[in-house]
Amino acid sequence: MNLPVKRIALIATALLSSAHGVLAQSSDVQVNTSGGVGGAIGGLFGLLVAVIVIAGMWKVFTKAGQPGWASIVPIYNAYIICKIAGKPGW
């Protein structure tokens, strides 16, 4: 190797080795990934909303003369809703 290429290689190596310490994550940093109380409250609220929606759809289906269980079957309930509304199922 001639001198300029060798010098460039040494500089690049020095820069990369010093950047490694800056860019690499340290293992002593702890990250809290638990939801805690807020996550639990949010989960319970979501569950409550889901139960209310299912109960309401169940009531609509039974009043329309359809089986209530059809309200909790994902694609079939859309077909039944279209049928209740008098629209084509597709």
Side-chain angles (χ1 to χ4, degrees), residues 23-69:
L23 298 177
Q25 288 184 347
S26 167
S27 63
D28 60 347
V29 175
Q30 295 180 355
V31 178
N32 186 5
T33 58
S34 66
V37 175
I41 292 173
L44 289 175
F45 181 72
L47 184 63
L48 177 68
V49 169
V51 167
I52 290 171
V53 168
I54 289 171
M57 285 181 62
W58 194 292
K59 190 71 171 174
V60 168
F61 276 50
T62 55
K63 282 190 173 193
Q66 300 297 326
W69 60 264

Side-chain angles (χ1 to χ4, degrees), residues 2-25:
N2 61 17
L3 191 57
V5 173
K6 191 172 183 181
R7 182 173 283 170
I8 291 172
L10 285 173
I11 292 171
T13 304
L15 287 174
L16 288 176
S17 65
S18 66
H20 176 71
V22 173
L23 298 177
Q25 288 184 347

